[in-house]
Amino acid sequence: MRSRLGLALVFAGIVGLCGSVGGLNARPAPVAPDESKPSTTADEKVPTFKADVMPILKTSCVGCHGAGKKKGGVDVSSYESVMKTVKANDADKSKLVKSVLGQGAKLMPPKNGLPEAQVAILKAWIAAGAKND
Ligand code: HEC
């Protein structure tokens, strides 16, 4: 009875050992993190004039196109004055967009234009009706 139990324990030990070794070998190769998912982009929500558009104009344009200086007669320091360069719902026909792309108007800010992401914000805002929101 006693020896049988001993044998059983040894047997169980061997099985256990083999089992764990087998388990190690059977483990699947580590999976690389999935980077194929498209990242969510900002243009999923419509930009607003106050939160998105005005900060861009303030940073990049108002120094030359504000209440003090109105280079080329252009003022982008308020909604009303910005709208003189905007055709609501038609970004491509808006001077504001043409100027930051340098297409059909002088490139603004001069020599540099705006980063693509900021141009996209201006376009999306105009395409959605250029509201004073
Ligand atoms: C360093 C000064 C400066 C900055 C910054 C600047 N502009 Fe200008 N902008 C000018 C000058 C100077 C003119 C007049 C150019 C001319 O007629 O030769 C002008 C002209 C324009 C015009 C009329 C262009 C045309 O071809 O009729 C628009 C529209 C305009 N700017 C928009 C902007 C916007 C939008 C920004 C910001 C993204 C900006 N500007 C930043 C100096 C600046």
Side-chain angles (χ1 to χ4, degrees):
M1 198 55 182
R2 188 174 268 200
S3 65
R4 254 198 189 175
L5 186 65
L7 244 164
L9 281 176
V10 168
F11 186 68
I14 290 168
V15 168
L17 196 72
C18 290
S20 67
V21 169
L24 264 180
N25 290 342
R27 203 170 284 171
V31 181
D34 186 7
E35 284 165 19
S36 61
K37 280 182 199 158
S39 58
T40 46
T41 46
D43 57 13
E44 281 173 8
K45 75 171 186 41
V46 176
T48 67
F49 182 71
K50 290 189 187 83
D52 304 293
V53 173
M54 203 59 218
I56 296 172
L57 302 180
K58 264 203 179 129
T59 304
S60 304
C61 320
V62 166
C64 296
H65 298 291
K69 291 182 194 167
K70 292 189 176 75
K71 299 254 171 115
V74 175
D75 176 357
V76 294
S77 63
S78 72
Y79 177 77
E80 286 71 26
S81 58
V82 169
M83 288 313 286
K84 290 179 188 158
T85 69
V86 166
K87 194 168 185 297
N89 302 307
D90 199 344
D92 293 337
K93 291 222 170 72
S94 297
K95 202 148 210 181
L96 186 71
V97 171
K98 288 183 181 179
S99 68
V100 295
L101 291 172
Q103 290 167 4
K106 296 210 167 114
L107 180 64
M108 292 291 144
K111 296 198 190 82
N112 301 315
L114 285 181
E116 219 173 285
Q118 295 189 346
V119 175
I121 289 172
L122 299 180
K123 281 181 144 184
W125 168 70
I126 293 169
K131 297 189 195 83
N132 186 9
D133 51 8

